[in-house]
Amino acid sequence: MNHYEEGIDAMWEEVEGKKPEPVHIPSDEERWKKFVEEYSHSGYLVQSEFGAIDTTDDAMKDVVGGEDLSYEEYLQAVFNSRNIRRHCFEYCYYSNAWCEFKGQIERYNKKKGKVMFKRIYISGGLMDGDCYEGKEDHVWMDIEPFEEYQEGDCLSFGGEIYRYLKTRHGKQISFGIRKPYDISKVEAYELPNDDDMLMQAVDQMICEVCMFNEHCYMGMCIANNEWRDEMRKTIFNAAKGNV
C-alpha cells in the first residue's frame, strides 16, 4: 500500500470514527422565551408559530374573563393555548372581518346553558374587499337565542367573534362567537362539505397565480376555461392524495 492509499484509509477511519455532534432542538418553552424577550410590550400584532399575538400592554382587556390578568399571566395563557388554536376565528378576529356563520346543532347542555354546533362554516368579508371562507369544529355558544330550535337543525346567523379565558386545563385563551343575530333555518344541503371547502381554497389559489388576476371584473373570471378546469382538477386531486 502506497502513502496515498494509506492517507485515504486514515481519512476514512477518522470520518467513520467520528460521531456527529448532537443537534439541540429548542423546546416550545425555549422558543417562547425567545419570542417574549424580543416582542414583550412591543405593541405589535405579531404573526408567529404560536399564532397571532397581540403584544400591547392592555391586550388582556378584550379577553372575556381575563380582563384582570397581569401582562405576564396573559402571555402565559397565550402560550398555553398554542395547541388549541382556532385558526379561522383568529384570522377573522384580527382582520376585522364581517362574518356570516352556518352550522348544524349537535346537542344542548341545558344545565350549563350552552348549545354546541358540530361545525361552523364562516363566510367573511375583509376590509380590502377580499372574501374569506373557513370552518371550525365543535363550537359552543350561549343557548338563549337558539332555544326554539332542535338538535340536527341547520342555521344561518351573524355574530361577533371574541376572545375569552378558559380555565378548565389551566389558563388558556380561545375564540368563540357571541351576540348572534338574524338567525334562520337553512336546509342541510346549503352547508358546504369538506370537498366544497377544499375546492374554494383551490379556486382562491388559482386566482392568486393567474396571469389575469388583476383584470377580472366583479368576480368574472376571464381565464381560459379549459386551463382553469384542468388546474382545479389537478390541484384538488393532489390535495386529496388522488394523484
Side-chain angles (χ1 to χ4, degrees), residues 137-155:
D137 292 330
H138 304 112
V139 177
W140 287 95
M141 296 182 64
D142 289 338
I143 197 174
E144 183 178 349
F146 303 105
E147 289 176 317
E148 63 182 272
Y149 300 100
Q150 306 296 318
E151 292 179 358
D153 284 349
C154 296
L155 306 178

Side-chain angles (χ1 to χ4, degrees), residues 14-22:
E14 182 179 359
V15 170
E16 292 176 347
K18 282 187 176 180
K19 294 183 179 179
E21 293 291 332

Side-chain angles (χ1 to χ4, degrees), residues 4-60:
Y4 175 78
E5 292 173 334
E6 290 177 354
I8 293 296
D9 286 346
M11 289 175 61
W12 275 114
E13 289 176 3
E14 182 179 359
V15 170
E16 292 176 347
K18 282 187 176 180
K19 294 183 179 179
E21 293 291 332
V23 177
H24 175 67
I25 301 177
S27 65
D28 285 357
E29 288 75 10
E30 290 172 314
R31 297 196 306 277
W32 176 252
K33 181 180 179 181
K34 184 177 180 180
F35 174 88
V36 171
E37 290 173 351
E38 183 172 356
Y39 292 106
S40 179
H41 297 285
S42 67
Y44 298 128
L45 176 63
V46 184
Q47 293 289 345
S48 75
E49 64 176 295
F50 304 101
I53 301 176
D54 184 354
T55 64
T56 55
D57 291 340
D58 60 351
M60 72 293 294

Side-chain angles (χ1 to χ4, degrees), residues 5-242:
E5 292 173 334
E6 290 177 354
I8 293 296
D9 286 346
M11 289 175 61
W12 275 114
E13 289 176 3
E14 182 179 359
V15 170
E16 292 176 347
K18 282 187 176 180
K19 294 183 179 179
E21 293 291 332
V23 177
H24 175 67
I25 301 177
S27 65
D28 285 357
E29 288 75 10
E30 290 172 314
R31 297 196 306 277
W32 176 252
K33 181 180 179 181
K34 184 177 180 180
F35 174 88
V36 171
E37 290 173 351
E38 183 172 356
Y39 292 106
S40 179
H41 297 285
S42 67
Y44 298 128
L45 176 63
V46 184
Q47 293 289 345
S48 75
E49 64 176 295
F50 304 101
I53 301 176
D54 184 354
T55 64
T56 55
D57 291 340
D58 60 351
M60 72 293 294
K61 297 303 181 184
D62 67 353
V63 178
V64 174
E67 299 89 345
D68 295 328
L69 292 174
S70 68
Y71 190 78
E72 290 70 24
E73 289 173 331
Y74 162 75
L75 288 180
Q76 186 61 47
V78 172
F79 175 71
N80 294 343
S81 312
R82 64 193 183 281
N83 295 322
I84 62 163
R85 291 171 56 200
R86 289 195 177 276
H87 297 266
C88 294
F89 284 169
E90 177 185 282
Y91 178 78
C92 291
Y93 178 82
Y94 287 117
S95 300
N96 293 318
W98 63 264
C99 296
E100 179 185 14
F101 308 102
K102 291 182 179 179
Q104 183 179 41
I105 295 176
E106 181 164 297
R107 62 189 175 95
Y108 286 95
N109 187 329
K110 295 185 178 180
K111 184 177 180 180
K112 294 184 177 180
K114 297 290 184 180
V115 58
M116 188 181 78
F117 287 86
K118 181 178 182 180
R119 176 173 291 176
I120 289 287
Y121 297 94
I122 308 114
S123 298
L126 306 180
M127 299 297 290
D128 60 4
D130 287 342
C131 295
Y132 174 77
E133 303 279 346
K135 64 182 179 180
E136 295 285 2
D137 292 330
H138 304 112
V139 177
W140 287 95
M141 296 182 64
D142 289 338
I143 197 174
E144 183 178 349
F146 303 105
E147 289 176 317
E148 63 182 272
Y149 300 100
Q150 306 296 318
E151 292 179 358
D153 284 349
C154 296
L155 306 178
S156 171
F157 56 92
E160 174 189 342
I161 296 176
Y162 73 108
R163 297 197 297 170
Y164 67 96
L165 186 68
K166 300 177 65 174
T167 57
R168 185 175 180 181
H169 301 290
K171 293 178 180 178
Q172 299 173 317
I173 295 175
S174 189
F175 292 82
I177 307 172
R178 64 181 177 182
K179 301 179 181 178
Y181 59 88
D182 292 342
I183 303 171
S184 61
K185 287 185 66 173
V186 296
E187 297 296 331
Y189 64 80
E190 292 186 41
L191 300 181
N193 57 36
D194 287 343
D195 284 352
D196 294 331
M197 299 295 293
L198 176 57
M199 187 57 77
Q200 289 174 3
V202 169
D203 285 337
Q204 184 176 359
M205 186 184 305
I206 292 173
C207 287
E208 290 175 355
V209 301
C210 178
M211 63 185 295
F212 301 112
N213 65 353
E214 295 183 0
H215 303 282
C216 295
Y217 178 71
M218 297 294 289
M220 296 178 61
C221 179
I222 62 174
N224 179 274
N225 287 334
E226 291 184 6
W227 171 83
R228 185 170 180 272
D229 290 343
E230 186 61 30
M231 287 285 287
R232 296 180 86 219
K233 180 180 178 181
T234 300
I235 297 175
F236 180 85
N237 287 333
K240 294 280 289 184
N242 298 330

